Each structure stands twice: as C-alpha cells, then as structure tokens.
Amino acid sequence: MTAAKVTPEAIRAMKGAAPIAALTAYDYPTTRLLDEEGIPLILVGDSLGMVVLGYPDTVPVTLLEMEHHTRAAGRAQPRALLAADLPYGTYATAPEAVANARRLLAAGAEAVKAEGGCAIEDRLRALRQEGIPVLGHVGMLPQHVREEGRYRIKGATPTERAALLADAECLTAAGAFAVVLELVTPSVAREITQRIPIPTIGIGSGPDCDGQILVFHDLVGTFPWFTPRFVRPQLQAFAQMRAAIAAWRASL
Ligand code: KIV
C-alpha cells in the first residue's frame, strides 16, 4: 500500500501525536533520499545560499535560484510535504508575496515559508486568502542577520519573550500550518509550544518543540567549514569523501 501524501493539515495534526522530523533539501537526490526515509516535511531552504551557492548568508539568494532548486527537489515527487523559502526582499508587500509564492508553487513547492511574525501578518493572511499554505518562522531571522550583526539567541529578556509569544499568536491567527522557532531560548520555545495550537518546529531552540528541523548538510557533514554549535552531526561525510579522493588519486 502506498503511504498517503503529506499535506499541511497532516503536519498540523502531528502536534501532540508524533515528533515532526524536518530537513532541508535543495536537489533531486537529497529530496528522494529524505522521502524514502520517511521525513514528512522537506524544506527547500534559502540556507542553500551558504551551503550550496557559497554566499556569506541568505540575503543574496534570489527567487530565480529558489525556483531552480525547488524544481530540482520537486522532480523527486516526494510523498513528503515540500515547502520552499520566499527569499529576502520577495514579500515586502502582500501582492508581491502572493505573486512570488505562486512562482515557487509553479516550480513544485506545496507550501512557502516566510520569516517574521506580527510584522508580516498582512502578507501571511494574503497568502492564506489565496489558498497558499504557509510555514511561519520566528526567533532569529537569518534574512535579517546583517541588521542584527550576528546570529543570536532570542527570548532571553522579558521584552523578547513577549514579542516571540505575540509573533507565534499572529502566525496562528494568520493561518500558518506550523512555525519554525530558530534560536529561541528553550524555555520560551516550550512556552510557545504549549500555548499555540499549531506545531512548533525548532532549530537550536531546545528539545521541547513539536518537531525539529536541520540543514541536511549540517546533519551529515557535507559543509565542514561551519557547523552551528547546536548541531550534533550524525556523519562526517566530507571526511569520507576526502579519503575517497585521496585513495583514488593514490591509485593512479
Ligand atoms: O533556510 C533554511 O534552511 C531554514 C531552516 C533550516 C529553518 O530556514
């Protein structure tokens, strides 16, 4: 029997029922691999800017680049829900958000992710009004790292805690099916998880979220020049690749 296609509603229904495992993929073989391993939520993240395209951060990633990688991932026709990031500067207004999200859907995405909470609620509502499934993202927003100056933990002060809770509520009200919590203090991540009815998917936000998401390259060690401190890689694939290259070269 073929397992059923994962929908945004199915991800939402996993809250309280099963931990949600989510990973990034930016190409056909990785998407196919993750899907064959039963990962229910696959994200074509704009993190591809760093781990694939060699940019210093996600800010330079273009919509054309996201479409290209979403098409590649989509060709795997995963049973998993395939979400894609709206890159920096592509959802400044509601009409732009809708038009650009439609381009990602046309490329093969089944949901879009946008960074921000109450500040972008109007755009998230516009997407939902057009029937476009939305994955929220609050906490550290990598698309704003240049303004922030660095990647830093959010929620350590009462003001930040209140802002994060408000953002999570705004996303819920706007109709997001789940929300990524990036670099949120574990206690605030737990509080948000207990308070909102949609799943929280943490990254560097402690164990008490409804699910966890990682950049695939961090998990398997295919970008060894930088690994976030909260990641425990399961494999050092680059070390094995280096050994294979050296062995082949020595065999000539
Ligand atoms: O771009 C990305 O890969 C992400 C996550 C890992 C959450 O936004």
Side-chain angles (χ1 to χ4, degrees):
M1 199 181 83
T2 328
K5 172 74 190 152
V6 181
T7 60
E9 295 70 34
I11 296 290
R12 191 179 169 142
M14 287 174 79
K15 187 175 178 92
I20 301 166
L23 284 166
T24 62
Y26 321 113
D27 57 29
Y28 172 87
T30 312
T31 306
R32 191 166 164 174
L33 172 68
L34 300 186
D35 199 46
E36 287 177 4
E37 287 307 305
I39 297 296
L41 174 60
I42 299 177
L43 174 69
V44 185
D46 58 1
S47 51
L48 66 84
M50 287 100 84
V51 297
V52 173
L53 301 179
Y55 294 139
D57 50 43
T58 60
V59 177
V61 176
T62 66
L63 189 63
L64 278 174
E65 287 165 341
M66 290 305 301
E67 287 176 284
H68 173 78
H69 286 276
T70 302
R71 265 187 226 108
R75 280 183 204 112
Q77 300 192 318
R79 169 191 164 265
L81 182 69
L82 187 68
D85 266 326
L86 277 164
Y88 178 70
T90 63
Y91 48 104
T93 64
E96 268 183 69
V98 170
N100 292 326
R102 284 207 178 112
R103 283 175 57 171
L104 291 176
L105 296 193
E110 297 159 317
V112 298
K113 178 162 78 59
E115 294 184 7
C118 302
I120 62 161
E121 191 179 342
D122 60 322
R123 281 144 273 174
L124 303 180
R125 283 184 186 274
L127 290 166
R128 293 300 302 124
Q129 266 159 24
E130 294 301 316
I132 300 172
V134 170
L135 175 59
H137 184 151
V138 301
M140 177 66 212
L141 306 180
Q143 292 177 4
H144 294 275
V145 69
R146 296 187 186 187
E147 294 132 62
E148 293 271 352
R150 66 193 164 94
Y151 296 92
R152 68 174 190 89
I153 299 272
K154 300 285 183 154
T157 65
T159 313
E160 281 189 3
R161 171 186 163 271
L164 285 167
L165 285 163
D167 281 339
E169 302 281 8
C170 281
L171 288 175
T172 307
F177 67 87
V179 54
V180 170
L181 302 181
E182 178 156 358
L183 292 182
V184 171
T185 58
S187 61
V188 174
R190 188 187 321 118
E191 198 176 347
I192 293 173
T193 302
Q194 286 165 354
R195 195 175 291 193
I196 63 173
I198 60 173
T200 58
I201 304 179
I203 174 160
S205 299
D208 298 322
C209 298
D210 297 303
Q212 298 288 333
I213 184 164
L214 282 180
V215 168
F216 177 73
H217 291 57
D218 294 338
L219 178 70
V220 297
T222 46
F223 192 80
W225 304 281
F226 174 75
T227 306
R229 267 189 299 169
F230 56 84
V231 178
R232 299 276 164 274
Q234 301 287 325
L235 179 68
Q236 298 293 348
F238 238 66
Q240 289 176 277
M241 289 185 206
R242 285 189 203 281
I245 294 162
W248 171 78
R249 190 178 172 192
S251 75
L252 297 181

